[in-house]
Amino acid sequence: MSSSSATPLHTVDLIRKKRDGNPLSEEEIGFLVSGAATSTIPLEQLSAWLMASWIRGLTVDETRALAIAMRDSGEKFDPTRLGKIAVDKHSTGGVGDKTSFLVAPIAAACGVVVPMISGRALGHTGGTLDKLESIPGYRTALSLAEFESVLRSCGASIVSQTLSLVPADRVLYSLRDRTGTVENAGLICASILSKKLAAGLDALVLDVKTGSGAFLRKMEDAEMLAALMVATAEAAGTRTVALLTDMGQPLGRASGNWIEIAECVELLRGERHASSEDVRELSLRLAGWMITLGGKASNVEYGYKMAESALEDGSALAVFLKMVDAHGGDVSVFDDLSAFHKPDVTRVLNAWDTGTIVDMDTMAIGWAVQRTGAGREAKDESETPSESLGWDPVDPHAGIAFHARRGARVEKGQPIATLFATTAAQMDEAEARLKAAIRISDEPVGAPPPLVSRIFDRESAEAYLANPVKVKKTRTRD
Amino acid sequence: MSSSSATPLHTVDLIRKKRDGNPLSEEEIGFLVSGAATSTIPLEQLSAWLMASWIRGLTVDETRALAIAMRDSGEKFDPTRLGKIAVDKHSTGGVGDKTSFLVAPIAAACGVVVPMISGRALGHTGGTLDKLESIPGYRTALSLAEFESVLRSCGASIVSQTLSLVPADRVLYSLRDRTGTVENAGLICASILSKKLAAGLDALVLDVKTGSGAFLRKMEDAEMLAALMVATAEAAGTRTVALLTDMGQPLGRASGNWIEIAECVELLRGERHASSEDVRELSLRLAGWMITLGGKASNVEYGYKMAESALEDGSALAVFLKMVDAHGGDVSVFDDLSAFHKPDVTRVLNAWDTGTIVDMDTMAIGWAVQRTGAGREAKDESETPSESLGWDPVDPHAGIAFHARRGARVEKGQPIATLFATTAAQMDEAEARLKAAIRISDEPVGAPPPLVSRIFDRESAEAYLANPVKVKKTRTRD
């Protein structure tokens, strides 16, 4: 009947096709994505298509077509001129997840180049860019030319996304947020991959979180997303693996901004702390894969060893310091990590009972961290970080340091966490939330889940997706 | 996460609820409809809700809540001040469907009042208002005060919808047209009933078309819509029956504007033509129900007899002429029905073969009629007729008169139709389409379907809807 375009493809016909459960072709998806990027298809039509896609599900082919069309909707970064294999790591988001500051310098120290375009704190999860900006002077908003220059000199650069990259994703993500079409494996996968593919990566390592602090709490949903991302990225020509990793408690001992940077600097200096061992181990495993997919190690065991050496011999620290300096950051703040930390309000949370920490509701802990002032409640317009859209500021010194972890035996009155907040009122709310999220009991505690529960490569991802029962289950309900 | 309102209800939550297959409450639907009427909920959120509703289906309770909320979104007509029972008839649209010009005066002549708010030609179907406007001077755009005055003096009035009635339906219908969410029983039902309920009807007779000229060609879809409309309108307090009637060939012998009015005037004068018998019979059956539901006959057989008397004794004709006059129409044009008919181009279509007319693709014939100049391709903004939106004009004298009908034996060269068009080019296209839509063959022809195949009252409609297999089938696919 009506149509919004004079071209042979009519938006309403495509919406109806998807509505009726039929997959759209690459050309049809390209038409819709291009209409989103150029504002030639009205938002109400795009949102009808997104809702039909959410309910009917996207096939792997549709997901790939969507990721590629979004990738191609704007400017792209071309790392081939750097003369090195470009590898990145992407995490689906968690609490205390600071591996980027370790894996980027480790992998760069081992000979690959890491062009990392990162995001900001959102809801219960922290943001890589916010953490970096706790270093005085660190500029995350580089032009593509500056990005290339830092990569050339340091081998790694962590920046915010420019407005010119994947404009279609910015439009569609913002729309999904307003129209209840966020939590869908195909749409999430295409959105993430479009940004990664726009960075021209040769290889990609995905850290898909599971457990109480993950966006997708259910193991089968996380598995579905991981398999779909691997299959899609591989089909688009990027060598990819996905690790399913535990987010059943905060990662490491610090959740916040500066305090996470400080924890990483200690690890980069070769210092070991029992409560940071999980961050160290996960970073080495992720970096091991980055090095291996980047062709610098013949197998992942050797990649892991190379990563460990780079951490222990100071070469990763050297890359990190050089990168911070190249971004305008003041590396002198690393001279005394505690002296630089100047929170407005500090409070120690003592154990209110004697027993074992049997449970940490990590999403709730993430919200407690957010309430200290370290995070932000909701993004302004889009998941896509864009400096021009005016993000709410975060408090670089706020956050929570954990002194006891899941499974630990604690005595009543023993400090289990220290909170750093912007105001006393924020402190009260954060403390109440943190307390409610931690359960101390004499119940027996089961064995903790493994740090890495499953790894998908191309073959295992395709085998997983070929199982229609699981695929259907995950697609039709969240 | 995000929301567009400070009230306790959040649009995104409601979209997600419907997306997940859960029915929305009356309050929740009221919130969305009010947001549509007042433009406080953006179109992209409304369209996500409409798509989720299309795919998941609406329950009877949701359909009723939607119809009532749309009814209450604007001004309403209150016929109780007229001191008579208010009854209307609504048809789902067909080709040559001119029963309104008969049933309104017949029912009014029998003592009920008929406040009929009608539509315009759209796609393959004709429009009651366009047909009336072929009478010089007839004004369809009356204020509610003028409407009431005509009803008081004549007992019947056929008008266009004012902008102040059901504004939410205008917004949502236009959105459905652009977002591929038109053909859904619940949404169609609520849209139709909102307008009928806004006229304050005591009773309503629905003419749900089936067969090749109907919007819903499949019998089970038409049955579902009919049952849903009856159950919904009854639940909203309006006594309602639905007749499923045959649209497997054009109704009567004329399809166009003036030529349909002329056919009705002949019938109102008591003239009988074999090729108009179906219009006469269907009108009497519909009017019989209107009279019965309006409390003027103790049963529908008696209602039918009263209707027939009103047609034969001239009392219906008197109401019709009075109504046309009250609307400013020039009744002198009825003095010589053929003399007033002045088409620009006339052409006779002769049978191209000897045989039987075994098939008439009535939707295709409807498009042939539209191409003569009698109709319009698509509405401008909304199904809702609104004079201020500027409808394309139609040719009052264009259309097609049929000289032979389905099942008739024809000789090669015998005239089977006369076409009246605005231009020679339109004539060529209309003739080609008409010819392609009629099949002459020596195949045996089955018995034609009954004029009225099924009647739903409250009880039988509820019984039909209680059969979950049929309901599910019809709801999930068109």
Side-chain angles (χ1 to χ4, degrees), chain A residues 21-35:
Chain A
N22 303 308
L24 299 186
S25 72
E26 199 174 320
E27 186 198 2
E28 290 166 338
I29 287 177
F31 174 80
L32 293 168
V33 169
S34 154

Side-chain angles (χ1 to χ4, degrees), chain A residues 174-185:
Chain A
S174 162
L175 204 48
R176 284 168 56 207
D177 186 50
R178 283 174 286 140
T179 59
T181 49
V182 171
E183 324 85 323
N184 172 276

